[in-house]
Amino acid sequence: MTSSATSSAELSNEEIFRYSRHLILPEVGLDGQKKLKRARVLLVGVGGLGSPAALYLAAAGVGTLGLVDFDVVDATNLQRQVLHGTSAIGKRKLDSARDRIEDLNPHVKVEAHETPLTSRNALEIISTYDIVVDGTDNFQTRYLVNDACVLLGKPNVYGSIYRFEGQASVFATADAPCYRCLFREPPPPGLVPSCAEGGVLGVLPGIVGTIQTTEALKLILGIGESLAGRLLLIDALRMQFRTLNLRKDPECPACGTHEIKELIDYEEFCGVRQAAADDAAAQSAVPEISPVQLAARIARGDDFDLIDVRDAHEWDIARIPGARLIPLATLVNELSSLDSARDIVVHCKLGGRSAKAVQQLQASGFRKVWNLAGGITRWSNDVDPSTPKY
């Protein structure tokens, strides 16, 4: 799917006027702006990082923007994904992104790829672009983007965010290290929480995404000193920026020994499937109660304990009446305060942490214990819509 845009490398009078603040920069000038117009940049993801990148690449006059995404706009995205607005809730992100980019700069051509980036399509999609801006939020796609860029010789402009911290670099250029030089192996599944679990300061992806955009523009223009060979670390709480020098690893299987000659199964490599199977097996072994069943027990006045294992700041957002807060991290210290002879229902936000709590209680000798399926989120959906969702 594409949208029409001016394809000529020459600039119209309208474009000259639009980009005048670029043209008067000696480092850019008319020739530089023509380079931007000829450039083809692929954004993998149009979420938190992809939003500012798409906006500023389009505003700068990058001629063709490829967008890879298959998600829809959700209200929880709007706190940080500034490419999308309230009116776009429920729309495909690609449609929302294309509409916003065309409104911002009709001279930009948008190529939309509504598909997950996989080992089957990554080389074909990436091969037609000059630069890749990685706005992904999971390790399997991050390694996929890296390996595809190394195999194709395409610069990979990297960014990542979590809570108040961000990272940025440029990988896979001719003489610089790649992502695998820094992180040879992915962390165990579940070790690094997602933004949905750990949260993120809404402005942080704006900071990191605009840094990625700056690096992409410098690469196109051939100016300045890029982050290739350096990792920029951002601490937004302290407003500190640190730079670590990176070395190309001669033993790197991607860009060093070149053992990786084709794209692999990245979900298998990152342990995603096995982790999902293990979680499913563990969940099936945990006794569950539905929110509707819990509400019926409360209405009958049944005698049982309802334990909330979320963190205190989540308790402040929303709670189920009658619950007692015991954060999961402190549960082991609170076991003596619980009566193993009583029925116990445990809940969290979605059911994952509470399932771990149930297993911990079972291992400590508690037998009459249940996990609230779907957590307080499903409670809000199925029983009490007045309970805030977050």
Side-chain angles (χ1 to χ4, degrees), residues 134-149:
D134 183 0
T136 60
D137 60 0
N138 62 79
F139 287 101
Q140 57 268 31
T141 312
R142 202 166 285 161
Y143 280 95
L144 167 62
V145 169
N146 176 79
D147 292 355
C149 285

Side-chain angles (χ1 to χ4, degrees), residues 28 37 68 70 111 151 178 245 282 301 338 390:
V28 181
K37 186 171 183 177
V68 180
F70 60 99
E111 297 180 347
L151 289 171
C178 75
N245 291 326
L338 299 174
Y390 61 98

Side-chain angles (χ1 to χ4, degrees), residues 277-340:
D278 292 345
D279 286 346
Q283 289 277 4
S284 66
V286 172
E288 287 189 331
I289 182 174
S290 73
V292 172
Q293 291 170 323
L294 174 62
R297 294 199 65 175
I298 294 173
R300 288 196 304 266
D302 291 357
D303 189 24
F304 67 97
D305 290 329
L306 178 58
I307 305 300
D308 184 339
V309 295
R310 297 174 301 152
D311 292 332
H313 65 276
E314 295 176 274
W315 169 269
D316 291 338
I317 298 170
R319 67 191 72 172
I320 299 176
R324 172 187 172 191
L325 178 65
I326 304 179
L328 181 59
T330 67
L331 181 60
V332 65
N333 300 321
E334 297 289 340
L335 293 178
S336 61
S337 69
L338 299 174
D339 185 351
S340 60

Side-chain angles (χ1 to χ4, degrees), residues 5-239:
T6 305
S7 59
S8 171
E10 295 300 318
L11 301 180
S12 66
N13 287 346
E14 180 185 347
E15 289 173 292
I16 289 173
F17 188 63
R18 174 185 286 264
Y19 306 127
S20 60
R21 300 305 186 271
H22 269 177
L23 300 182
I24 60 178
L25 291 172
E27 295 84 355
V28 181
L30 189 62
D31 288 341
Q33 194 63 48
K34 290 179 181 179
K35 289 180 182 178
L36 292 174
K37 186 171 183 177
R38 290 192 297 266
R40 294 175 53 84
V41 177
L42 180 69
L43 297 176
V44 183
V46 286
L49 295 171
S51 284
L55 289 170
Y56 278 103
L57 288 169
V62 170
T64 303
L65 290 181
L67 311 177
V68 180
D69 208 301
F70 60 99
D71 202 0
V72 298
V73 180
D74 183 83
T76 60
N77 300 150
L78 304 183
Q79 164 255 12
R80 64 201 178 280
Q81 299 183 19
V82 295
L83 188 62
H84 315 289
T86 301
S87 62
I89 292 175
K91 291 177 60 175
R92 299 186 307 169
K93 284 186 178 178
L94 286 183
D95 291 339
S96 171
R98 184 181 59 247
D99 291 346
R100 180 67 182 96
I101 291 169
E102 289 180 343
D103 180 59
L104 176 63
N105 190 349
H107 301 286
V108 174
K109 179 181 179 181
V110 176
E111 297 180 347
H113 305 274
E114 189 180 14
T115 178
L117 196 70
T118 68
S119 299
R120 294 184 298 276
N121 63 20
L123 293 176
E124 179 182 359
I125 292 175
I126 292 174
S127 65
T128 64
Y129 294 91
D130 306 315
I131 296 170
V132 176
V133 176
D134 183 0
T136 60
D137 60 0
N138 62 79
F139 287 101
Q140 57 268 31
T141 312
R142 202 166 285 161
Y143 280 95
L144 167 62
V145 169
N146 176 79
D147 292 355
C149 285
V150 172
L151 289 171
L152 293 169
K154 308 286 185 177
N156 171 18
V157 184
Y158 160 78
S160 69
I161 51 173
Y162 177 64
R163 296 180 67 91
F164 297 93
E165 299 179 351
Q167 298 179 355
S169 188
V170 175
F171 294 125
T173 57
D175 300 318
C178 75
Y179 183 73
R180 282 185 184 264
C181 292
L182 182 60
F183 302 110
R184 179 73 63 87
E185 302 286 339
L191 181 64
V192 181
S194 67
C195 290
E197 297 169 312
V200 61
L201 183 68
V203 72
L204 181 64
I207 297 171
V208 176
T210 49
I211 289 172
Q212 290 178 274
T213 306
T214 304
E215 292 302 300
L217 294 175
K218 285 158 52 183
L219 288 172
I220 295 167
L221 294 167
I223 62 174
E225 180 181 353
S226 86
L227 280 174
R230 297 182 293 153
L231 179 67
L232 181 65
L233 303 176
I234 301 162
D235 182 341
L237 269 184
R238 296 172 180 81
M239 199 47 72

